[in-house]
Amino acid sequence: MSASASRTAAATAALAFAAVPVLLVGPGAAPAVAHGSMTDPVSRVAACHAEGPENPRSEACKAAVAAGGTQAFYDWNEVNIGDAAGRHREIVPDGELCSAGRDKYKGLDLPRADWPASPLSAGGHTFRYKATAPHRGSFELYLTKDGYDPSKPLTWADLEEKPFATAKDPKLENGAYVIRGTVPERSGRHLVYSIWQRSDSPEAFYTCSDVVFGGAAADPGPTASAPTDQQIADNADKSTVDHGGHGGDSHGGDARPSTAPSSAAPGTTAGTTPGNAPELKSAGAPSPVAADPSPGGTPDLAATGGSGSTPYLAVGGAVVLAAGAALLFGAARRRMSS
């Protein structure tokens, strides 16, 4: 075989082998979706999901369903903005904090003093955020200021400027993130606003949790309950949330205009938020509730979205691709020598 033929064969083999890392890295590089909602204190969307989207008990949840339909409460774990990237006050409008500006969740923004609420006291408190798809990120919890009026639309000015509790990559216990903080003194009805900003993606999640200081006697409204794991599993087939994609739901009319610079890939439409783009829910078993896989209670969040079979699939794929590369190399040599 001539020197030029040898170089051609070597180049062919090199290209074949080069495909190995690309093919292996491609699927693993797709972002695993983070979904969830505050359950202590119970968020509005979680409370209405627990009551049942079709026949909610509280007047507030009934009004929310009337305003935005039932799907928002089957998709209770996805009040998100796909390209937030920390720009929360810039891109979430006043009066739309609880829905994150998404029309689908507009029922959550209804200004009412009778939303199901959780009792809360000043001092140390352990907050819990149910994670149906955990991932790395940071949490910020804000409390409404003295003088907050729940009968008026919630604005950024209603919240304290700084969060009273923060957590980066908090511990996951029994499928929920654990966030500890010291609650300021308040009285009567208030609201805890949470922001979960992923660190491996610009996607962020938002929740509104109505709370009452001073005990049940301080507020005659209904007490909020979090959805049970059984309720979540029973309603999973009605959810349009797909943990195999990146945020969003299957309702194309709810795409939020992106305020970030456009870098649309071929085949996509610039000006729509990737995290809120339409996607189809995969058929099959309900999405599992996140478990606590490690003895210390802290999972490998960066590996979320994989499974125990992932390493074996990667190794098997490498072997198959290497074998294919060898066949290509041999065929090239035969063609050059003939």
Side-chain angles (χ1 to χ4, degrees), residues 59-83:
E59 293 302 317
C61 289
K62 289 177 183 178
V65 169
T70 59
Q71 194 59 53
F73 302 103
Y74 287 120
D75 296 346
W76 62 280
N77 56 346
E78 194 219 22
V79 184
N80 73 337
I81 296 178
D83 65 348

Side-chain angles (χ1 to χ4, degrees), residues 150-289:
S151 65
K152 296 180 180 179
L154 181 69
T155 69
W156 287 105
D158 289 323
L159 304 178
E160 294 286 358
E161 186 68 25
K162 296 182 179 180
F164 69 89
T166 60
K168 181 179 180 181
D169 297 335
K171 185 178 181 181
L172 192 67
E173 290 181 353
N174 299 319
Y177 285 115
V178 175
I179 306 161
R180 294 180 173 85
T182 301
V183 182
E185 290 283 350
R186 292 290 189 275
S187 62
R189 180 171 280 256
H190 278 271
L191 184 142
V192 173
Y193 190 69
S194 80
I195 300 174
W196 177 15
Q197 176 63 64
R198 290 175 59 178
S199 57
D200 58 352
S201 160
E203 184 179 36
F205 288 78
Y206 307 84
T207 70
C208 282
S209 297
D210 296 274
V211 297
V212 176
F213 290 81
D219 189 280
T223 300
S225 297
T228 65
D229 288 346
Q230 188 61 54
Q231 285 177 310
I232 293 171
D234 289 345
N235 288 328
D237 62 340
K238 297 182 178 67
S239 172
T240 63
V241 175
D242 184 358
H243 290 172
H246 178 71
D249 54 55
S250 63
H251 299 279
D254 195 28
R256 180 188 184 88
S258 174
T259 54
S262 174
S263 58
T268 63
T269 302
T272 59
T273 299
N276 290 334
E279 65 180 51
L280 297 178
K281 183 177 186 296
S282 303
S287 300
V289 175

Side-chain angles (χ1 to χ4, degrees), residues 314-335:
V315 172
V319 171
V320 171
L321 289 171
L327 289 174
L328 286 173
F329 180 75
R333 291 193 59 163
R334 286 193 294 275
R335 283 197 300 272

Side-chain angles (χ1 to χ4, degrees), residues 86-129:
R87 300 170 298 128
H88 317 296
R89 292 176 184 262
E90 174 187 343
I91 62 178
V92 179
D94 280 339
E96 301 178 21
L97 274 66
C98 298
S99 67
R102 295 186 59 180
D103 186 67
K104 171 180 174 179
Y105 294 102
K106 62 185 177 183
L108 299 175
D109 291 319
L110 295 177
R112 305 176 62 100
D114 62 347
W115 280 100
S118 304
L120 190 63
S121 301
H125 187 84
T126 298
F127 298 85
R128 297 187 183 275
Y129 195 105

